[in-house]
Amino acid sequence: MNSRMVELEAVLSRSAPDRQAARRLAVDLARSLDALSARRDVDRLLRCAAALTRMGSADAADALLIAMLALVDPTGPEASRVRDQQALVAVARGRREPGPTPPRQVRRRPPAAAFGRGAPPRQVVGDFLDPMPVADPVAVGSVAVAVEPVKSTETGALELALQRNAAVLGANHPQTAVLRLNLMCARFRIARDQGDTAEVTEALADLRDATDRAVNSLGVHHPRALVAQANLASAEFELARVRRSAERARLALPSLRSAADRTATRLGADHPHAVIATANLASAELELAHLDGTRAQAQRLLDVVRDASMRAVSALGVDHPAVRALEEQRRACEALLSGAGPDPSFERGYASFADAGRSLATSSPSGARAGAPEWPAGTLLARLRETSRQELLGLGTAVRYAPDREIIVQDATDTHVFLILDGVVKVLVDDGSGESAVLTVRVAGDLVGEMASMDHRPRSATVVTCGDVTAKLITSAELHGFLHRRNDGFVELLGVLDDQLRWANRRRRDFLSHTAAERVARVLAELVGAHGRQEVGGWVLGIPLTKVELASIAGMKPRTAEKAFADLRKAGVVVSHLRRDVVVPDLEALRRFARL
């Protein structure tokens, strides 16, 4: 990206700049711009936009400014400077200065029934993402990108804006992702108002896809990404209401709590987006508390909804669409608790909501996860602070792999990492002649593939699943952003790498001063101590590794491995039953044999 900026600055600095080259470079720069460069180089980018405007390429300048505005904090000083420059560009193009868009008049149908009959409080799912002016298609050379008009509907303007941005900036550009989010939110609201379960389900699937794209494009903690995740959580609860599903409602609550916590933490408790997320969480909890009969808790939650509504009025004004939606939500909550609203009980044929209500009433206010996994000691997830751990777990894409699947291949040039959530993988190297050796194993809580992610060099080893594995696939950019934001994440990752280096040094030292059987015993004792489980007959490793693979960790070939395990069986410290079943009757005896 820096090379494109330097090249554009060089073209613009000439006494007679090449207009077509400058336009082409500006569009390329807009497409490749990232959040870090948009904030760090805001002065240079604004100078480029001003120079493009002066030379008659206002459309290219507008495309560059749109890209910047999608990446900087919309409430920060950088955004104000970009909007000021946009106003100048608008004047140069002969347009009126963009003003606030009047709120759309949405044709409302009777609201869908929630969990039973009637119209209880609804979640605020809106496109409150500050859509920016859209640049006209930019001509590159003598070829202009054409955009087909879209029929005039409630979502027609958004569809047209999305098409134009995709044509100018690309389908994966942050500004395109924001417009796609706005469009999918509008479609979801229409489907919800119509009350058709199939349409709501389809609209929610589209909203999930748009949210994933936005998070990948903007970063998980960008203000617009936070709003997108909060909208998605609220939409999940709305689908539960349309389906009258107690189980879906229960599953949606943690997402609502997480969205409210993240938004308040990153943007501040008084930020309008944080106020909306807080109100949505409180209204959902109020419904459940009312259905369960916990009057005191429901009244407390009504106070939260009222407070959120008042704060939204002071921050956004009485005419803002979000304020009107929050007012409607408040009135519905008050009617529900006063008994003026319709009976919200379940209709016959649906599961009882009492269990979900009791679960909410007994849960901790902080929304801590029940039954959260205990990550193995020494892994990255076990080392991190809770906030950093939850942020890392929120990155990437969830993936699942079958046994004996290569998820990373030696000498490949990809740079993503895997955060293991469940299962075990083994790390092995190939010498090129078909001989391979296992270096180590990684378990739930560990990160694999981090070396290539850091240095962008070919993969140094192959990673193979040992049984079913669930993980998060995290891109190199996502990992680097996390490490920049979280100092403890960077420090703890260094600690993990230090442990791995010490493990490798111990294996080299063992080779100098221990017999083959002792070297295998030392590796086995460390693995069983860290990952094994105690059963009736002794300790079981619990990792499906063959005896040859275990011995290769200690640096020996198959023939030597068979002899080493024969010595261990003769000493009575290891019992082998099947190919991948190694039992240690007495772990302390094994440690004594290994001279640990």
Side-chain angles (χ1 to χ4, degrees), residues 235-549:
E236 295 278 4
F237 194 87
E238 286 292 325
L239 178 62
R241 176 181 290 119
V242 171
R243 289 186 171 179
R244 304 185 182 94
S245 169
E247 181 63 22
R248 276 189 170 271
R250 182 182 65 81
L251 294 175
L253 281 175
S255 297
L256 284 167
R257 292 192 189 105
S258 178
D261 290 343
R262 284 198 308 267
T263 309
T265 300
R266 303 296 299 189
L267 303 181
D270 293 327
H271 193 282
H273 296 331
V275 172
I276 294 169
T278 301
N280 279 340
L281 172 62
S283 69
E285 291 180 330
L286 182 145
E287 278 191 73
L288 305 185
H290 175 72
L291 289 169
D292 192 47
T294 53
R295 178 77 182 180
Q297 183 185 9
Q299 192 63 46
R300 178 183 62 81
L301 292 166
L302 177 59
D303 293 339
V304 176
V305 174
R306 286 170 173 165
D307 177 68
S309 179
M310 289 187 294
R311 284 193 289 160
V313 170
S314 61
L316 300 173
V318 294
D319 294 327
H320 194 280
V323 173
R324 294 199 298 270
L326 288 174
E327 280 292 303
E328 180 184 342
Q329 185 185 74
R330 177 187 61 78
R331 288 192 295 269
C333 288
E334 291 173 342
L336 188 65
L337 294 190
S338 66
D343 177 14
S345 60
F346 263 108
E347 294 179 356
R348 182 173 299 177
Y350 295 100
S352 169
F353 209 84
D355 291 340
R358 279 192 290 272
S359 173
L360 173 67
T362 57
S363 63
S364 61
S366 62
R369 294 183 304 158
E374 293 292 337
W375 302 105
T379 62
L380 180 60
L381 288 180
R383 292 166 174 262
L384 292 174
R385 295 197 299 261
E386 180 63 24
T387 53
S388 298
R389 183 186 303 118
Q390 293 305 319
E391 180 177 339
L392 183 58
L393 287 169
L395 299 180
T397 304
V399 291
R400 292 179 176 86
Y401 295 105
D404 300 317
R405 173 80 179 273
E406 291 185 351
I407 60 175
I408 291 178
V409 179
Q410 184 175 327
D411 297 326
T413 56
D414 46 25
T415 58
H416 58 269
V417 300
F418 289 98
L419 179 64
I420 307 300
L421 303 180
D422 186 41
V424 181
V425 298
K426 57 187 175 184
V427 183
L428 53 90
V429 292
D430 190 337
D431 65 357
S433 64
E435 294 288 336
S436 62
V438 177
L439 298 180
T440 187
V441 296
R442 295 286 180 263
V443 298
D446 276 326
L447 199 67
V448 292
E450 68 280 0
M451 290 177 59
S453 179
M454 293 297 179
D455 59 20
H456 290 261
R457 297 168 64 182
R459 300 285 191 183
S460 60
T462 297
V463 178
V464 181
T465 58
C466 301
D468 294 327
V469 168
T470 303
K472 278 294 193 73
L473 189 156
I474 301 174
T475 65
S476 176
E478 288 175 318
L479 179 62
H480 286 198
F482 169 77
L483 296 177
H484 278 293
R485 292 188 300 271
R486 296 288 185 178
N487 291 335
D488 67 309
F490 183 79
V491 172
E492 297 302 344
L493 181 57
L494 286 179
V496 170
L497 295 175
D498 177 73
D499 287 349
Q500 295 171 5
L501 179 59
R502 290 178 180 275
W503 162 276
N505 287 344
R506 286 198 297 274
R507 302 288 76 79
R508 294 186 181 92
R509 188 178 60 216
D510 293 347
F511 192 83
L512 297 175
S513 56
H514 293 275
T515 66
E518 289 173 347
R519 286 172 13 225
V520 174
R522 293 171 77 87
V523 169
L524 188 57
E526 288 196 38
L527 291 177
V528 170
H531 313 299
R533 64 180 184 273
Q534 192 169 16
E535 296 184 351
V536 177
W539 287 85
V540 178
L541 176 58
I543 300 175
L545 295 174
T546 66
K547 294 187 289 293
V548 172
E549 288 172 335

Side-chain angles (χ1 to χ4, degrees), residues 36-158:
L36 178 62
S37 299
R39 293 192 300 268
R40 182 186 60 197
D41 299 323
V42 62
D43 292 329
R44 296 172 63 187
L45 290 165
L46 289 176
R47 284 196 295 270
C48 289
L52 287 165
T53 305
R54 287 194 298 271
M55 66 182 295
S57 296
D59 50 0
D62 211 359
L64 185 58
L65 293 171
I66 288 171
M68 293 175 64
L69 202 53
L71 294 168
V72 300
D73 185 352
T75 62
E78 296 90 352
S80 298
R81 296 177 61 191
V82 175
R83 292 191 184 98
D84 291 343
Q85 186 65 39
Q86 274 189 318
L88 296 175
V89 173
V91 173
R93 299 181 66 178
R95 303 185 309 202
R96 289 185 306 163
E97 182 175 343
T101 304
R104 294 195 303 270
Q105 298 299 319
V106 180
R107 180 172 54 88
R108 298 285 184 183
R109 296 193 180 188
F115 302 133
R117 299 178 297 277
R122 291 193 299 182
Q123 299 284 287
V124 180
V125 181
D127 49 24
F128 312 121
L129 297 171
D130 305 326
M132 282 75 69
V134 183
D136 291 333
V138 179
V140 180
S142 59
V143 181
V145 182
V147 179
E148 293 296 329
V150 182
K151 63 181 181 180
S152 177
T153 64
E154 181 184 349
T155 58
L158 285 171

